[in-house]
Amino acid sequence: MRKLFALIVLSVGSVFTASGQGGVTYIYNYDWSVITGDPSGVAKNDSGNVFVTDYTDNSVQKYASDGGFNLRWGTPGSANGQLSQPVGIAVDTSGYVYVTERGNNRVQKFSTTGTYITQWGSTGTGDGQFNFPCGIALDALGNVYVTDNGNNRVQKFTSSGVYITQWGVFGTAAGQFSSPGGIAVHADSVYVIDGNNRLQKFSTTGVYITEWGAPGQFHIQPAQGGIVYNVLGVSKTGDVFVADNGDYNVKVYTSSGNFITQWGTQGNGAGQFNNPIGVAVDSVGRVFVIDKNNSAVSVFNVDPSGVESLQYAAKTFVYPNPASESIMLQISSTENANAVVGIYDVLGQKIWSENMSLVNGQNKITLSTQDLCNGLYLVKISSDSLQSSFPLVIQR
């Protein structure tokens, strides 16, 4: 068991490299122990906060992206704002937090600080009723999708809980389910994984598109009592992440099911897992994995050495690295030139860029990094005669 609030932060020069396959490697950054011992779901918001549900503590906990504890809400019960066996959790673009409860067969909606807003659901098989709601996900319009585990279906609601539609019946055929648990939404696609150990892709209206998961590809195991978790996450670019607790790893696929990579082995060490049951990916590509039996959240990034970068054409130095509030770039140029300096996340998305004038010789440029979250980035410098890039670590 990891020590409570133990925070392990490693610089690029000494990171543990996860055992990735498929041409992309993820590296372990740090982890933190949740304040209670039974995490069951994980989600993130656009401000960099991470939310964790705790199944037996009947609570939601909010953390900073580096593991700093922020707040906790929830007490056992069935009244407004109380929780009973919370599992799935999701956060919309406005910051509202949605939680599924296995014990109360309902969904509750909270503010980002835990203020109760509304709820919907009851025990049953009718429209809007649940038999063990599990995974929960949101689309860009704010619609809410819930895997109704015991009823072998997915239900779709508005953000205020008005029932829209449903799909799925028990079975193994295309579009059918056996105890669906994990769900994720990206653009116009809904991804669902179930007890058939396969991942199915649907439209947002429930039209079956495709599936993957040949025998032996996934080994997702329910917990004691048949509890299943939301083991799916999706990145900003649409890649699908699966927390496979039977294989003690995380697997990554394209939106069409092509394998990208996987990492993880069984254990308690850095980058290892002991029952991974939830995954979330933030806007800069950091991957947050709930490691249930270690009562921890582990954080990973794409290894920047695996990100396509430009060749060095001049000596470029950055200090400090890791950085916090600002960096100093020292660029050695062989001529006067106009250059573009940019900062990119690990998925190659441009975060910031600016045109700058370089002189023949040494150039020193100070850049603010106050608005960057902790993680790995790529700095690129380009002109007609200068092409240079290097990894940058932001660590506070």
Side-chain angles (χ1 to χ4, degrees), residues 43-60:
K44 76 321 182 243
N45 65 12
D46 292 338
S47 300
N49 299 118
V50 179
F51 298 81
V52 177
T53 48
D54 190 291
Y55 188 81
T56 55
D57 187 59
N58 295 298
S59 68
V60 174

PDB file of all heavy atoms in Angstrom, residues 43-60:
ATOM      1  N   ALA A  43     -12.659  11.308 -13.086  1.00  0.00           N
ATOM      2  CA  ALA A  43     -12.994  12.239 -14.157  1.00  0.00           C
ATOM      3  C   ALA A  43     -12.166  13.501 -13.970  1.00  0.00           C
ATOM      4  O   ALA A  43     -11.598  13.727 -12.893  1.00  0.00           O
ATOM      5  CB  ALA A  43     -14.484  12.581 -14.150  1.00  0.00           C
ATOM      6  N   LYS A  44     -12.078  14.317 -15.020  1.00  0.00           N
ATOM      7  CA  LYS A  44     -11.346  15.570 -14.924  1.00  0.00           C
ATOM      8  C   LYS A  44     -12.175  16.677 -15.543  1.00  0.00           C
ATOM      9  O   LYS A  44     -13.118  16.437 -16.299  1.00  0.00           O
ATOM     10  CB  LYS A  44      -9.965  15.452 -15.582  1.00  0.00           C
ATOM     11  CG  LYS A  44      -9.826  15.470 -17.101  1.00  0.00           C
ATOM     12  CD  LYS A  44     -10.824  14.763 -17.888  1.00  0.00           C
ATOM     13  CE  LYS A  44     -10.587  14.785 -19.407  1.00  0.00           C
ATOM     14  NZ  LYS A  44     -11.672  15.479 -20.092  1.00  0.00           N
ATOM     15  N   ASN A  45     -11.864  17.937 -15.140  1.00  0.00           N
ATOM     16  CA  ASN A  45     -12.536  19.068 -15.767  1.00  0.00           C
ATOM     17  C   ASN A  45     -11.545  19.873 -16.588  1.00  0.00           C
ATOM     18  O   ASN A  45     -10.350  19.567 -16.627  1.00  0.00           O
ATOM     19  CB  ASN A  45     -13.258  19.936 -14.721  1.00  0.00           C
ATOM     20  CG  ASN A  45     -12.299  20.616 -13.747  1.00  0.00           C
ATOM     21  OD1 ASN A  45     -11.079  20.636 -13.942  1.00  0.00           O
ATOM     22  ND2 ASN A  45     -12.848  21.182 -12.692  1.00  0.00           N
ATOM     23  N   ASP A  46     -12.018  20.921 -17.235  1.00  0.00           N
ATOM     24  CA  ASP A  46     -11.168  21.708 -18.113  1.00  0.00           C
ATOM     25  C   ASP A  46     -10.211  22.606 -17.357  1.00  0.00           C
ATOM     26  O   ASP A  46      -9.314  23.207 -17.959  1.00  0.00           O
ATOM     27  CB  ASP A  46     -12.032  22.551 -19.058  1.00  0.00           C
ATOM     28  CG  ASP A  46     -12.790  21.718 -20.072  1.00  0.00           C
ATOM     29  OD1 ASP A  46     -12.359  20.573 -20.329  1.00  0.00           O
ATOM     30  OD2 ASP A  46     -13.822  22.190 -20.598  1.00  0.00           O
ATOM     31  N   SER A  47     -10.383  22.711 -16.045  1.00  0.00           N
ATOM     32  CA  SER A  47      -9.494  23.537 -15.223  1.00  0.00           C
ATOM     33  C   SER A  47      -8.333  22.743 -14.646  1.00  0.00           C
ATOM     34  O   SER A  47      -7.527  23.293 -13.894  1.00  0.00           O
ATOM     35  CB  SER A  47     -10.296  24.191 -14.082  1.00  0.00           C
ATOM     36  OG  SER A  47     -11.327  25.010 -14.594  1.00  0.00           O
ATOM     37  N   GLY A  48      -8.256  21.448 -14.965  1.00  0.00           N
ATOM     38  CA  GLY A  48      -7.157  20.625 -14.486  1.00  0.00           C
ATOM     39  C   GLY A  48      -7.440  19.875 -13.210  1.00  0.00           C
ATOM     40  O   GLY A  48      -6.559  19.173 -12.697  1.00  0.00           O
ATOM     41  N   ASN A  49      -8.657  19.992 -12.669  1.00  0.00           N
ATOM     42  CA  ASN A  49      -8.990  19.256 -11.452  1.00  0.00           C
ATOM     43  C   ASN A  49      -9.369  17.810 -11.769  1.00  0.00           C
ATOM     44  O   ASN A  49      -9.861  17.511 -12.855  1.00  0.00           O
ATOM     45  CB  ASN A  49     -10.155  19.922 -10.711  1.00  0.00           C
ATOM     46  CG  ASN A  49      -9.840  21.334 -10.277  1.00  0.00           C
ATOM     47  OD1 ASN A  49     -10.491  22.267 -10.713  1.00  0.00           O
ATOM     48  ND2 ASN A  49      -8.855  21.481  -9.428  1.00  0.00           N
ATOM     49  N   VAL A  50      -9.143  16.927 -10.806  1.00  0.00           N
ATOM     50  CA  VAL A  50      -9.448  15.508 -10.940  1.00  0.00           C
ATOM     51  C   VAL A  50     -10.451  15.140  -9.850  1.00  0.00           C
ATOM     52  O   VAL A  50     -10.266  15.482  -8.679  1.00  0.00           O
ATOM     53  CB  VAL A  50      -8.171  14.647 -10.807  1.00  0.00           C
ATOM     54  CG1 VAL A  50      -8.516  13.167 -10.923  1.00  0.00           C
ATOM     55  CG2 VAL A  50      -7.155  15.043 -11.864  1.00  0.00           C
ATOM     56  N   PHE A  51     -11.522  14.435 -10.249  1.00  0.00           N
ATOM     57  CA  PHE A  51     -12.571  14.031  -9.322  1.00  0.00           C
ATOM     58  C   PHE A  51     -12.570  12.512  -9.201  1.00  0.00           C
ATOM     59  O   PHE A  51     -12.484  11.800 -10.198  1.00  0.00           O
ATOM     60  CB  PHE A  51     -13.935  14.508  -9.815  1.00  0.00           C
ATOM     61  CG  PHE A  51     -14.069  15.998  -9.908  1.00  0.00           C
ATOM     62  CD1 PHE A  51     -13.561  16.681 -11.008  1.00  0.00           C
ATOM     63  CD2 PHE A  51     -14.683  16.719  -8.900  1.00  0.00           C
ATOM     64  CE1 PHE A  51     -13.673  18.065 -11.107  1.00  0.00           C
ATOM     65  CE2 PHE A  51     -14.808  18.096  -8.987  1.00  0.00           C
ATOM     66  CZ  PHE A  51     -14.295  18.768 -10.086  1.00  0.00           C
ATOM     67  N   VAL A  52     -12.689  12.007  -7.967  1.00  0.00           N
ATOM     68  CA  VAL A  52     -12.645  10.572  -7.690  1.00  0.00           C
ATOM     69  C   VAL A  52     -13.848  10.197  -6.846  1.00  0.00           C
ATOM     70  O   VAL A  52     -14.122  10.845  -5.814  1.00  0.00           O
ATOM     71  CB  VAL A  52     -11.343  10.187  -6.954  1.00  0.00           C
ATOM     72  CG1 VAL A  52     -11.341   8.694  -6.604  1.00  0.00           C
ATOM     73  CG2 VAL A  52     -10.125  10.539  -7.797  1.00  0.00           C
ATOM     74  N   THR A  53     -14.589   9.164  -7.267  1.00  0.00           N
ATOM     75  CA  THR A  53     -15.643   8.610  -6.421  1.00  0.00           C
ATOM     76  C   THR A  53     -15.058   7.514  -5.542  1.00  0.00           C
ATOM     77  O   THR A  53     -14.167   6.778  -5.959  1.00  0.00           O
ATOM     78  CB  THR A  53     -16.786   8.024  -7.265  1.00  0.00           C
ATOM     79  OG1 THR A  53     -16.237   7.181  -8.293  1.00  0.00           O
ATOM     80  CG2 THR A  53     -17.607   9.123  -7.908  1.00  0.00           C
ATOM     81  N   ASP A  54     -15.573   7.409  -4.314  1.00  0.00           N
ATOM     82  CA  ASP A  54     -15.155   6.354  -3.400  1.00  0.00           C
ATOM     83  C   ASP A  54     -16.377   5.521  -3.031  1.00  0.00           C
ATOM     84  O   ASP A  54     -17.336   6.030  -2.445  1.00  0.00           O
ATOM     85  CB  ASP A  54     -14.498   6.928  -2.151  1.00  0.00           C
ATOM     86  CG  ASP A  54     -13.832   5.847  -1.311  1.00  0.00           C
ATOM     87  OD1 ASP A  54     -14.556   5.016  -0.711  1.00  0.00           O
ATOM     88  OD2 ASP A  54     -12.586   5.822  -1.252  1.00  0.00           O
ATOM     89  N   TYR A  55     -16.308   4.232  -3.364  1.00  0.00           N
ATOM     90  CA  TYR A  55     -17.466   3.347  -3.295  1.00  0.00           C
ATOM     91  C   TYR A  55     -17.947   3.114  -1.868  1.00  0.00           C
ATOM     92  O   TYR A  55     -19.154   3.161  -1.597  1.00  0.00           O
ATOM     93  CB  TYR A  55     -17.110   2.021  -3.963  1.00  0.00           C
ATOM     94  CG  TYR A  55     -18.260   1.050  -4.141  1.00  0.00           C
ATOM     95  CD1 TYR A  55     -19.148   1.196  -5.193  1.00  0.00           C
ATOM     96  CD2 TYR A  55     -18.433  -0.023  -3.273  1.00  0.00           C
ATOM     97  CE1 TYR A  55     -20.190   0.305  -5.381  1.00  0.00           C
ATOM     98  CE2 TYR A  55     -19.476  -0.927  -3.446  1.00  0.00           C
ATOM     99  CZ  TYR A  55     -20.360  -0.750  -4.498  1.00  0.00           C
ATOM    100  OH  TYR A  55     -21.397  -1.635  -4.670  1.00  0.00           O
ATOM    101  N   THR A  56     -17.042   2.813  -0.959  1.00  0.00           N
ATOM    102  CA  THR A  56     -17.449   2.496   0.416  1.00  0.00           C
ATOM    103  C   THR A  56     -17.501   3.724   1.314  1.00  0.00           C
ATOM    104  O   THR A  56     -18.232   3.745   2.303  1.00  0.00           O
ATOM    105  CB  THR A  56     -16.519   1.446   1.042  1.00  0.00           C
ATOM    106  OG1 THR A  56     -15.165   1.908   0.969  1.00  0.00           O
ATOM    107  CG2 THR A  56     -16.627   0.127   0.318  1.00  0.00           C
ATOM    108  N   ASP A  57     -16.746   4.758   0.980  1.00  0.00           N
ATOM    109  CA  ASP A  57     -16.804   6.001   1.751  1.00  0.00           C
ATOM    110  C   ASP A  57     -18.004   6.849   1.353  1.00  0.00           C
ATOM    111  O   ASP A  57     -18.329   7.819   2.029  1.00  0.00           O
ATOM    112  CB  ASP A  57     -15.506   6.794   1.548  1.00  0.00           C
ATOM    113  CG  ASP A  57     -15.412   8.008   2.453  1.00  0.00           C
ATOM    114  OD1 ASP A  57     -15.453   7.822   3.688  1.00  0.00           O
ATOM    115  OD2 ASP A  57     -15.312   9.141   1.929  1.00  0.00           O
ATOM    116  N   ASN A  58     -18.651   6.500   0.243  1.00  0.00           N
ATOM    117  CA  ASN A  58     -19.828   7.216  -0.246  1.00  0.00           C
ATOM    118  C   ASN A  58     -19.531   8.714  -0.402  1.00  0.00           C
ATOM    119  O   ASN A  58     -20.240   9.578   0.134  1.00  0.00           O
ATOM    120  CB  ASN A  58     -21.019   6.999   0.682  1.00  0.00           C
ATOM    121  CG  ASN A  58     -21.472   5.557   0.710  1.00  0.00           C
ATOM    122  OD1 ASN A  58     -21.891   5.003  -0.302  1.00  0.00           O
ATOM    123  ND2 ASN A  58     -21.351   4.922   1.874  1.00  0.00           N
ATOM    124  N   SER A  59     -18.470   8.991  -1.151  1.00  0.00           N
ATOM    125  CA  SER A  59     -18.039  10.379  -1.290  1.00  0.00           C
ATOM    126  C   SER A  59     -17.479  10.640  -2.674  1.00  0.00           C
ATOM    127  O   SER A  59     -17.182   9.717  -3.441  1.00  0.00           O
ATOM    128  CB  SER A  59     -16.974  10.720  -0.242  1.00  0.00           C
ATOM    129  OG  SER A  59     -15.777  10.014  -0.501  1.00  0.00           O
ATOM    130  N   VAL A  60     -17.358  11.934  -2.989  1.00  0.00           N
ATOM    131  CA  VAL A  60     -16.614  12.427  -4.145  1.00  0.00           C
ATOM    132  C   VAL A  60     -15.480  13.277  -3.608  1.00  0.00           C
ATOM    133  O   VAL A  60     -15.675  14.098  -2.713  1.00  0.00           O
ATOM    134  CB  VAL A  60     -17.507  13.270  -5.077  1.00  0.00           C
ATOM    135  CG1 VAL A  60     -16.671  13.903  -6.194  1.00  0.00           C
ATOM    136  CG2 VAL A  60     -18.627  12.432  -5.659  1.00  0.00           C
TER     137      VAL A  60
END
